[in-house]
């Protein structure tokens, strides 16, 4: 039992990190009509019109925003990142103002 429990804890920790952290983009920059996404040293420009859906999960740590793309890019059909948070932001609201603005801008870009 002394050797089994640490291996189980390591396995559970690795699984959680893989599900919640390892798939996050390294950086996401706003270029106005597109997003520049950097992931493991590679960079891709994603036009806002190519974004079908933006989902946000603020109750996870770290908070996650997932972009679902119309045409898959070099990182696949979904790109996940952790948007910038204010210190007390998660305690005061369940939405992120950056994500809300991004949803509106992507919707406007699709309509054009």
């Amino acid at each position: 039992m002394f050797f089994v429990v640490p291996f189980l804890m390591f396995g559970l920790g690795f699984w959680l990190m893989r599900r919640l952290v390892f798939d996050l983009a390294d950086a996401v920059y706003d270029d106005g009509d597109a997003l520049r996404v950097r992931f493991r040293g590679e960079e891709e420009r994603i036009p806002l019109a190519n974004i079908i859906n933006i989902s946000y999960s603020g109750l996870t740590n770290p908070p996650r925003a997932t972009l679902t793309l119309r045409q898959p890019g070099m990182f696949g059909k979904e790109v996940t990142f952790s948007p910038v948070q204010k210190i007390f932001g998660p305690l005061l609201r369940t939405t992120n103002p950056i994500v809300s603005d991004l949803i509106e801008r992507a919707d406007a870009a699709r309509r054009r």
Side-chain angles (χ1 to χ4, degrees):
M1 196 64 165
F2 180 72
F3 293 107
V4 174
V5 172
F7 283 112
L8 289 175
M9 290 178 65
F10 175 77
L12 179 64
F14 181 76
W15 180 79
L16 281 173
M17 292 294 285
R18 191 168 163 220
R19 294 272 302 168
L20 297 176
V21 177
F22 293 159
D23 67 335
L24 294 176
D26 298 334
V28 176
Y29 300 106
D30 188 356
D31 274 351
D33 65 336
L35 297 176
R36 279 188 303 131
V37 178
R38 184 177 304 141
F39 190 68
R40 295 186 183 135
E42 296 181 14
E43 192 167 303
E44 178 181 18
R45 189 171 189 275
I46 300 172
L48 292 180
N50 191 28
I51 299 173
I52 295 173
N53 188 31
I54 303 169
S55 61
Y56 176 70
S57 175
L59 298 178
T60 60
N61 191 15
R64 302 164 58 90
T66 302
L67 310 174
T68 305
L69 307 177
R70 184 178 320 278
Q71 299 292 330
M74 73 169 58
F75 304 130
K77 187 148 177 82
E78 291 187 344
V79 175
T80 304
F81 66 97
S82 182
V84 176
Q85 291 283 344
K86 292 187 178 184
I87 294 175
F88 297 109
L91 298 176
L92 301 176
R93 66 175 79 89
T94 58
T95 61
N96 184 309
I98 294 172
V99 174
S100 298
D101 179 56
L102 187 59
I103 290 170
E104 290 176 15
R105 290 177 37 223
D107 187 45
R110 274 193 311 266
R111 280 192 240 137
R112 278 187 249 140

